[in-house]
């Protein structure tokens, strides 16, 4: 924009009570390219004033209705943006100073040649005003820009610090102050040497002075705040400050990575824990490709981590399920192959990883090697089976000893055992209890080895004394069997197998709940088998008579539930002895 265009934007208000002079001044100014307005009194002038900042008032010192000082005060109240030049017919230095203090741009004497230089004076004043306005706007813009960038710098997440050429801290943004726990006065006296070694700082200075800025690298530092708290940071020199190629400081940034470093340490610690456990721990990504493989996994399977990471877990761990389960099984024993092809047996524990928005983010599997344990269990099972065969043979031999003493009851123990076990199974007793009933049944008459054989095989009716000898065989059997460390109460069952619910049994006459369930079962089986078999002193009454006997004394001599199941076995399930 040229000077003429600048003047055209201004309006000149001529306030002069001399109508001739007023018109002459306006005409002169208009020839010079100015827009003008005229007023003869202060009242008229004030009506022409508005908030136009581009208005310059040519003011007569003395007006009919007010003096110049009073008028200027009213102008300031009505239009604080107005500018004015004072004209006077007689002036002195004191008056000029007073007007200049009130803001007058110039003070001119009404002399003969005033119209010759008035236009140029007005132009000069306008240029001064325009220059001042430009400077004011530039200053405001500068302040606004400074405030904007300060706000931006203060709100950055990274700490920004300015150092002078000797490393003294001269500025820190809010993030840096918070990180280092600095107040406004806390900057004084802080030097970069508190954070980095003297040698490192001198090296930085030399790099900057040589202009080798690409050699400035990030530094991992531990800085201590005023509070004593320590922070892990990445320190970077981002802008070396140069003045005519002379190094005069630099700007550095502190990025607080304390939480990240803490998390990395925790991850490292957890990795050490995982590598220190004896179980194989394997993690996968959401495609079930191996992401991690601990030391125990390397030892168990023979694969190094670098050989398997990134491969599908199903490809590396060839897994079979002994019981025929499908591959979706997440617990139970599995058979797997090592790198060398040998097999192991492992017990897996699987945890699926969940991430928001995803069905699955992978899994972590812990494999506990139970190969040695399973082999030991297999050998133990084989050993147990061998011992059981020996045990069963011993029991059978003992039973045959009784049969040799009493040939008329040959097979009685085996038949009682057969029926007693059938009753126990029908009652759905635990297998251990069923085994105990089978053994006790096979040995229930072992005490008869102490009874004279002529009494056992006597064809006639026994005398009272002979029957009393027979009645001691449960107690004699107890004495024989209690010396053997059975896993069940075999000796107690044998002792009680002739006891009855009402207390009429022998040898101790106990009753009801005091009698073991196993003894109650054998008691029913013993009676049924004895009555269905021939004896030297009587013919066999038969199975129906036996069932009638236990039914008649159900709840009196014999356990009701045992009686009911025994009868059902014969009459509904077609059981035979």
């Amino acid at each position: 924009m040229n000077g003429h265009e600048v003047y055209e934007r201004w309006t000149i208000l001529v306030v002069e009570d001399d109508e001739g002079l007023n018109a002459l001044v306006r005409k002169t100014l208009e020839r010079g390219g100015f827009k003008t307005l005229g007023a003869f009194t202060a009242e008229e002038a004030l009506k022409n004033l508005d908030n136009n900042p581009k208005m310059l008032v040519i003011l007569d010192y003395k007006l009919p209705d007010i003096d110049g000082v009073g008028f200027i005060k009213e102008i300031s109240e009505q239009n604080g943006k107005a500018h004015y030049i004072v004209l006077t017919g007689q002036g002195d230095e004191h008056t000029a100073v007073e007007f200049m203090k009130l803001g007058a741009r110039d003070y001119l004497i009404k002399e003969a040649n005033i119209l010759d230089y008035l236009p140029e004076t007005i132009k000069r004043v306008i240029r001064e005003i325009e220059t001042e306005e430009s400077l004011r706007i530039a200053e405001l813009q500068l302040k606004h820009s400074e405030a904007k960038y300060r706000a931006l710098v203060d709100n950055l997440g990274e700490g920004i610090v300015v150092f002078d050429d000797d490393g003294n801290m001269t500025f820190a943004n809010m993030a840096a102050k918070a990180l280092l726990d600095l107040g406004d006065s806390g900057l004084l006296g802080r030097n970069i040497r508190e954070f980095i070694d003297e040698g490192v700082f001198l090296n930085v200075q030399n790099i900057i002075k040589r202009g080798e800025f690409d050699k400035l690298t990030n530094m991992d530092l531990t800085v201590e705040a005023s509070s004593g708290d320590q922070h892990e940071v990445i320190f970077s020199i981002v802008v070396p400050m140069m003045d005519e190629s002379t190094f005069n400081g630099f700007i550095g940034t502190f990025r607080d990575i304390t939480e990240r470093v803490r998390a990395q340490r925790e991850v490292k610690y957890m990795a050490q824990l995982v590598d220190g456990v004896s179980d194989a721990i394997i993690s996968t990504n959401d495609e079930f490709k191996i992401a991690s493989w601990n030391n125990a996994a390397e030892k168990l399977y023979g694969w190094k981590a670098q050989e398997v990471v990134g491969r599908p877990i199903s490809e590396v761990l060839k897994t079979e399920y002994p019981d025929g389960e499908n591959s979706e099984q997440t617990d139970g024993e599995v058979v797997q192959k090592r790198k060398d092809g040998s097999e192991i047996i492992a017990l897996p524990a699987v945890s699926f990883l969940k991430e928001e928005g995803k069905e699955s983010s992978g899994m972590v599997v812990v494999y506990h090697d139970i190969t040695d344990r399973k082999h030991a269990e297999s050998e133990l099972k084989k050993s147990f089976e061998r011992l059981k065969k020996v045990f069963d043979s011993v029991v059978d031999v003992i039973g045959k000893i009784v049969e040799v003493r009493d040939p008329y009851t040959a097979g009685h123990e085996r038949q009682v055992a057969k029926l007693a076990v059938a009753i126990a199974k029908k009652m759905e007793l635990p297998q251990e209890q069923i085994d105990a009933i089978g053994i006790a049944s096979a040995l229930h008459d072992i005490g008869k080895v102490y009874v004279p054989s002529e009494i056992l095989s006597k064809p006639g009716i026994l005398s009272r004394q002979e029957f009393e000898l027979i009645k001691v065989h449960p107690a004699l059997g107890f004495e024989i069997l209690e010396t053997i460390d059975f896993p069940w109460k075999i000796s107690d069952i044998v002792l009680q197998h002739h006891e009855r619910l009402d207390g009429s049994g022998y040898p101790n006459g106990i009753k009801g709940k005091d009698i073991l369930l196993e003894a109650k079962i054998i008691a029913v089986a013993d009676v049924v088998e004895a009555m269905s078999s021939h004896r030297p002193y009587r013919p066999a009454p038969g199975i129906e008579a036996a069932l009638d006997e236990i039914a008649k004394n159900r709840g009196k001599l014999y356990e009701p539930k045992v009686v009911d199941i025994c009868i059902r076995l014969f009459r509904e399930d077609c059981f035979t002895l």
Side-chain angles (χ1 to χ4, degrees):
M1 183 180 295
N2 58 43
H4 184 69
E5 291 174 340
V6 170
Y7 305 140
E8 285 182 344
R9 292 188 290 113
W10 283 81
T11 299
I12 311 301
L13 175 59
V14 180
V15 185
E16 169 60 52
D17 60 336
D18 185 331
E19 293 183 9
L21 182 58
N22 190 315
L24 184 59
V25 171
R26 289 182 62 192
K27 187 174 182 179
T28 302
L29 295 178
E30 287 172 357
R31 282 200 300 267
F34 294 105
K35 293 182 293 184
T36 68
L37 294 173
F40 303 107
T41 64
E43 183 180 356
E44 291 178 3
L46 291 173
K47 289 179 181 179
N48 285 301
L49 282 174
D50 55 23
N51 286 322
N52 182 4
K54 302 296 184 181
M55 179 171 284
L56 179 62
V57 180
I58 306 299
L59 173 64
D60 186 8
Y61 172 64
K62 286 187 177 182
L63 295 171
D65 49 353
I66 195 171
D67 64 9
V69 173
F71 181 62
I72 288 174
K73 290 180 179 179
E74 287 198 28
I75 290 176
S76 299
E77 291 177 1
Q78 181 169 327
N79 186 349
K81 297 179 180 179
H83 307 280
Y84 46 89
I85 296 173
V86 178
L87 298 179
T88 181
Q90 52 179 357
D92 56 47
E93 185 177 338
H94 174 74
T95 304
V97 170
E98 184 179 6
F99 274 108
M100 298 303 286
K101 285 182 179 180
L102 288 173
R105 287 289 177 174
D106 209 337
Y107 182 83
L108 302 177
I109 304 297
K110 294 178 182 179
E111 49 191 6
N113 63 343
I114 188 172
L115 295 179
D116 295 335
Y117 60 82
L118 180 60
E120 288 303 319
T121 300
I122 292 174
K123 290 180 180 180
R124 174 180 57 77
V125 169
I126 288 175
R127 288 196 299 270
E128 290 175 356
I129 295 171
E130 291 283 354
T131 300
E132 290 173 4
E133 182 65 15
S134 297
L135 290 174
R136 185 186 68 81
I137 292 173
E139 185 177 356
L140 287 175
Q141 290 175 338
L142 181 62
K143 287 181 179 180
H144 176 72
S145 178
E146 181 182 358
K148 180 176 68 174
Y149 285 109
R150 178 178 288 275
L152 179 63
V153 168
D154 271 341
N155 286 283
L156 288 175
E158 293 186 358
I160 298 179
V161 183
V162 178
F163 298 94
D164 64 17
D165 58 349
D166 194 41
N168 295 311
M169 193 182 299
T170 60
F171 168 82
N173 71 343
M174 290 177 64
K177 290 178 181 178
L179 175 68
L180 302 174
D181 194 26
L182 299 170
D184 290 334
S185 61
L187 296 172
L188 302 177
R190 302 301 297 267
N191 191 279
I192 194 172
R193 293 172 179 82
E194 297 180 34
F195 313 121
I196 61 177
D197 294 336
E198 174 74 19
V200 174
F201 175 61
L202 294 176
N203 184 49
V204 168
Q205 281 184 318
N206 291 330
I207 288 173
I208 294 174
K209 288 175 181 177
R210 292 195 302 269
E212 299 172 342
F213 303 137
D214 58 327
K215 293 185 178 180
L216 294 172
T217 58
N218 295 338
M219 290 172 273
D220 292 338
L221 305 175
T222 301
V223 299
E224 183 171 323
S226 301
S227 62
D229 294 337
Q230 291 190 332
H231 299 272
E232 303 294 333
V233 301
I234 295 177
F235 177 67
S236 306
I237 296 174
V238 292
V239 183
M241 296 192 299
M242 311 293 289
D243 183 10
E244 295 181 358
S245 301
T246 302
F247 170 64
N248 63 353
F250 55 87
I251 298 173
T253 65
F254 289 100
R255 184 183 305 166
D256 190 355
I257 58 170
T258 305
E259 292 302 320
R260 188 177 81 187
V261 170
R262 183 179 294 117
Q264 289 173 340
R265 287 172 180 166
E266 289 177 358
V267 169
K268 184 177 180 181
Y269 174 70
M270 293 302 296
Q272 290 174 341
L273 287 181
V274 169
D275 276 338
V277 299
S278 58
D279 289 336
I281 301 179
I282 303 163
S283 68
T284 74
N285 59 17
D286 57 356
E287 296 179 343
F288 297 100
K289 292 182 179 180
I290 295 172
S292 66
W293 182 272
N294 73 339
N295 289 339
E298 290 187 355
K299 183 178 179 182
L300 179 60
Y301 297 106
W303 297 93
K304 295 293 184 183
Q306 57 266 31
E307 295 178 288
V308 297
V309 169
R311 293 173 59 187
I313 189 170
S314 58
E315 177 186 297
V316 177
L317 301 181
K318 306 293 185 182
T319 302
E320 298 176 4
Y321 298 87
D323 298 328
E325 296 90 337
N326 60 39
S327 61
E328 294 180 356
Q329 174 179 306
T330 56
D331 56 12
E333 298 171 7
V334 295
V335 178
Q336 298 172 314
K337 290 187 181 295
R338 293 188 176 97
K339 183 180 180 180
D340 61 9
S342 60
E343 289 187 344
I344 63 167
I345 304 172
L347 193 63
V350 181
S351 176
F352 289 99
L353 305 176
K354 297 291 184 181
E355 187 175 324
E356 188 174 351
K358 288 187 178 182
E359 186 175 337
S360 174
S361 298
M363 64 179 180
V364 176
V365 192
V366 179
Y367 287 106
H368 179 60
D369 183 12
I370 58 172
T371 307
D372 292 341
R373 191 189 83 189
K374 295 300 293 184
H375 289 165
E377 287 176 357
S378 177
E379 290 301 316
L380 183 62
K381 184 178 180 180
K382 292 177 183 177
S383 177
F384 175 78
E385 289 173 351
R386 288 194 296 269
L387 288 174
K388 189 175 185 303
K389 288 179 181 179
V390 172
F391 177 76
D392 290 343
S393 298
V394 170
V395 170
D396 189 55
V397 168
I398 293 174
K400 288 179 179 179
I401 292 174
V402 177
E403 291 180 0
V404 169
R405 296 293 314 283
D406 185 6
Y408 291 100
T409 61
H412 170 68
E413 281 81 3
R414 289 194 297 275
Q415 294 291 76
V416 171
K418 179 181 177 182
L419 178 54
V421 168
I423 293 171
K425 288 181 177 179
K426 198 74 174 177
M427 294 176 69
E428 298 182 349
L429 298 182
Q431 187 58 47
E432 287 189 1
Q433 202 169 3
I434 294 173
D435 292 340
I437 290 170
I439 298 298
S441 299
L443 299 175
H444 73 280
D445 279 342
I446 186 66
K448 288 182 177 180
V449 297
Y450 287 109
V451 178
S453 58
E454 59 269 20
I455 294 177
L456 295 175
S457 58
K458 183 178 178 180
I461 298 175
L462 297 177
S463 67
R464 182 173 182 177
Q465 290 81 4
E466 290 171 335
F467 186 63
E468 289 299 323
L469 285 174
I470 291 290
K471 288 169 64 177
V472 300
H473 81 272
L476 294 173
F478 173 81
E479 292 178 3
I480 294 170
L481 297 174
E482 72 169 344
T483 60
I484 302 174
D485 188 17
F486 288 103
W488 315 282
K489 299 178 180 180
I490 301 298
S491 58
D492 290 328
I493 298 170
V494 168
L495 177 65
Q496 297 179 12
H497 78 277
H498 274 292
E499 300 289 356
R500 299 294 181 257
L501 294 181
D502 62 358
S504 62
Y506 61 85
N508 297 317
I510 60 177
K511 62 174 69 174
K513 293 181 180 180
D514 293 334
I515 304 171
L516 295 172
L517 175 60
E518 295 89 341
K520 293 175 181 178
I521 293 172
I522 294 175
V524 170
D526 190 26
V527 168
V528 171
E529 197 288 326
M531 290 185 67
S532 63
S533 302
H534 175 76
R535 291 291 182 267
Y537 51 86
R538 61 152 175 82
I543 189 65
E544 287 301 322
L547 296 179
D548 289 342
E549 162 63 21
I550 62 173
K552 181 177 67 175
N553 291 293
R554 176 184 181 277
K556 179 182 178 184
L557 303 180
Y558 312 113
E559 182 67 31
K561 186 175 182 180
V562 176
V563 170
D564 293 343
I565 289 178
C566 181
I567 293 173
R568 195 179 309 135
L569 279 172
F570 283 97
R571 291 180 176 169
E572 296 179 11
D573 298 346
C574 301
F575 181 83
T576 58
L577 288 171

